[in-house]
Amino acid sequence: MAATNDTRRMMHLNLFLMGCGHHKGAWRHPDSSVEQLGDIRYYERLAQTAERGKLDAVFFADGQSAGNVSDGSPWFLEPLTTMAAMSRATDKIGLISTVSSTFYTPFHAARMMASLDHISGGRMGWNVVTSMFDVEARNHNYQTMPVHADRYRRADEFVDAVLKLWDSWQADALSFDRFGHYADPDKVQPIHHEGEFFLVDGPLNVPRPPQGHPVLFQAGASEPGRELAARRAEAIYAVAYDLPAAQDYYRDIKRRVAASGRRVEVPIMPGLVTYVAATEEEAKARQRELDELLPVEASLRQLGLFTEQDCMNWELDAPVPALPSLEAFTGPKGRYSTILRIIETEQPTVRQLLGRLAAGGGHCTMVGTPESIADRMEQWFRNEGADGFNLMPPSLPAGIEDFVDQVVPELQRRGVFRTEYQGTTLRDHLGLARPE
């Protein structure tokens, strides 16, 4: 894998950008960046900080509804538009955005991602999602979300059509012959895709991206999600509450990738929330400070979305009421299974569960010194829990500045994270081959 100037396996680190940070109370902090969320320079500075830390990439999720605007919605600027500007403020760091296979068409997605790969010089990645909620569906001409199985069949065909469109131009198609062809017509071909969900003639109206294909990311814990990841994904985001949960997912996905006949390394990066400080007491104080800013009603609404229950009248200092089994649950299963695991392991009150979910919604949370956090990250990395992490700072920009200034040097000292970029594309950073 592309790493430092030796051949040792290196950890992959992405920065997951989310408004003022992943903690639902972060925007209320006196030092928050909430007034800057519409200022492109804020996102450019975040990307520059991540690049200073030699991170593989920055990642934007996306949502298709406004949510309750009084609660501090993380959505402001559209991600792909934002990344066009961020690419001009950075040189090497990768840029990854969610694009929904339910709400876009293959041609639209392929064109935008190919354009951004050209603009960035080969640094784009695409996180393939099927989207989740009916409130999103009703902004896109659906009464409700399509059923889970249909969404994943559509996603599989969507990816297939996008890859065909990127492949519709051969790498050497452009000839720029002023006395002949701009492009060799034999090397630009229609795709004539006709499937269950899409009719796409092609070819794309953007030449082949610099990376061949922007890197395909996927995150799915359900059975169809894992199968899609095993067949299609080149890198995977995961939800894991603790190391045993991470190992179960890691080993299952690696087995499925091998069983699908793909002879590739597919890096797996669980989400990671960190509170880092010089002492453990100071780190815990930072966590408490944000937890005390948590808006309770908004948190109960979020818990209701995660569990498909009406939580608004739950008693805050009582145990969490019984929830449906994972098998009986019809919503997104990855986050729900994590919530069940937290309840089983920690037996929290409703109030304690809200605090636990406040930053990252159940992803692994590490609170401590740079050394103790690096210890746990290395334990996951060396024991089939992760190939790296999708960093979810509880507050921004402070959370990523603390990580880059304190934890990254400790990981570099241990020889598990790069000290310099060895290439210029996202594929270089992830050690992925360029598709022919």
Side-chain angles (χ1 to χ4, degrees):
M1 291 188 177
T4 60
N5 56 5
D6 61 30
T7 57
R8 287 177 295 176
R9 175 171 169 257
M10 291 286 162
M11 193 179 287
H12 297 292
L13 296 175
N14 288 187
L15 166 60
F16 183 172
L17 295 167
M18 180 68 77
C20 298
H22 285 263
H23 195 290
K24 297 299 183 257
W27 71 275
R28 295 182 162 195
H29 193 279
D31 297 331
S32 87
S33 49
V34 66
E35 293 85 3
Q36 301 173 47
L37 292 183
D39 186 344
I40 190 59
R41 293 169 294 184
Y42 169 65
Y43 302 97
E44 290 172 343
R45 287 192 295 269
L46 290 172
Q48 289 165 346
T49 299
E51 188 168 71
R52 176 166 61 83
K54 313 303 178 189
L55 271 60
D56 296 66
V58 294
F59 163 57
F60 267 114
D62 195 16
Q64 300 290 321
S65 64
N68 188 321
V69 295
S70 66
D71 297 338
S73 170
W75 316 123
F76 200 121
L77 300 179
E78 189 278 323
L80 293 172
T81 314
T82 305
M83 285 191 162
M86 292 166 68
S87 74
R88 304 297 295 148
T90 54
D91 295 313
K92 294 186 176 179
I93 194 161
L95 304 158
I96 304 162
S97 180
T98 288
V99 176
S100 171
S101 61
T102 302
F103 301 137
Y104 285 75
T105 68
F107 194 93
H108 189 198
R111 186 186 190 194
M112 290 192 300
M113 298 299 297
S115 297
L116 284 166
D117 208 45
H118 282 284
I119 290 168
S120 65
R123 293 188 280 143
M124 284 306 297
W126 166 29
N127 182 45
V128 185
V129 301
T130 66
S131 298
M132 297 183 187
F133 302 118
D134 290 347
V135 290
E136 298 177 289
R138 294 183 68 83
N139 286 329
H140 288 278
N141 206 38
Y142 293 89
Q143 286 292 329
T144 61
M145 285 298 297
V147 298
H148 194 263
D150 289 351
R151 297 205 311 269
Y152 274 94
R153 286 205 322 282
R154 177 186 169 107
D156 202 26
E157 185 184 332
F158 190 104
V159 171
D160 186 48
V162 167
L163 295 179
K164 289 177 182 176
L165 285 166
W166 287 335
D167 285 340
S168 64
W169 288 69
Q170 293 185 25
D172 60 350
L174 291 170
S175 54
F176 306 124
D177 179 358
R178 284 172 170 79
F179 300 100
H181 297 297
Y182 165 75
D184 184 340
D186 292 332
K187 295 181 178 181
V188 183
Q189 296 293 327
I191 67 171
H192 297 306
H193 175 93
E194 187 170 354
E196 180 183 1
F197 297 96
F198 302 109
L199 173 66
V200 190
D201 279 354
L204 194 62
N205 55 355
V206 179
R208 188 169 176 79
Q211 293 184 104
H213 302 158
V215 179
L216 226 62
F217 282 74
Q218 209 267 335
S222 66
E223 183 64 23
R226 292 182 189 223
E227 281 300 304
L228 181 64
R231 289 195 313 276
R232 299 291 198 180
E234 297 177 284
I236 293 172
Y237 292 137
V239 179
Y241 161 64
D242 56 15
L243 180 55
Q247 288 171 325
D248 287 347
Y249 183 83
Y250 186 98
R251 291 164 180 163
D252 180 58
I253 293 295
K254 297 286 186 178
R255 178 189 60 76
R256 291 175 191 245
V257 170
S260 72
R262 299 171 64 198
R263 297 189 177 185
V264 293
E265 289 295 326
V266 178
I268 296 175
M269 289 171 267
L272 175 62
V273 179
T274 59
Y275 296 85
V276 57
T279 67
E280 187 169 335
E281 291 72 23
E282 185 182 350
K284 288 180 178 177
R286 290 184 179 184
Q287 184 182 32
R288 280 197 305 274
E289 184 179 25
L290 288 182
D291 284 350
E292 288 167 1
L293 297 171
L294 190 65
V296 173
E297 284 192 16
S299 301
L300 287 170
R301 275 194 294 273
Q302 182 197 51
L303 184 60
L305 276 177
F306 289 161
T307 61
E308 296 188 341
Q309 304 290 308
D310 182 356
C311 307
M312 300 309 293
N313 294 319
W314 284 6
E315 188 178 340
L316 290 175
D317 295 308
V320 179
L323 293 174
S325 69
L326 184 62
E327 293 72 25
F329 187 67
T330 58
K333 293 183 181 294
R335 186 66 46 78
Y336 188 70
S337 66
T338 301
I339 290 172
L340 294 181
R341 193 178 183 97
I342 292 172
I343 293 170
E344 179 186 0
T345 304
E346 301 179 20
Q347 299 178 334
T349 64
V350 172
R351 190 188 303 274
Q352 289 169 334
L353 179 63
L354 295 180
R356 187 68 180 77
L357 298 173
H363 286 271
C364 178
T365 298
M366 299 183 185
V367 185
T369 64
E371 295 79 13
S372 70
I373 288 173
D375 282 344
R376 291 183 63 191
M377 291 176 70
E378 188 175 3
Q379 181 189 22
W380 283 46
F381 179 64
R382 297 197 184 281
N383 291 281
E384 296 186 319
D387 296 308
F389 297 90
N390 196 23
L391 302 174
M392 304 170 66
S395 65
L396 286 170
I400 190 57
E401 291 170 347
D402 289 342
F403 190 92
V404 163
D405 292 337
Q406 299 178 55
V407 181
V408 165
E410 182 63 24
L411 296 171
Q412 291 170 331
R413 186 185 68 78
R414 298 170 186 223
V416 295
F417 189 65
R418 69 171 67 86
T419 56
E420 293 293 341
Y421 291 110
Q422 296 301 301
T424 60
T425 72
L426 181 53
R427 288 187 177 278
D428 290 336
H429 306 339
L430 293 170
L432 299 172
R434 187 180 187 278
E436 295 301 324

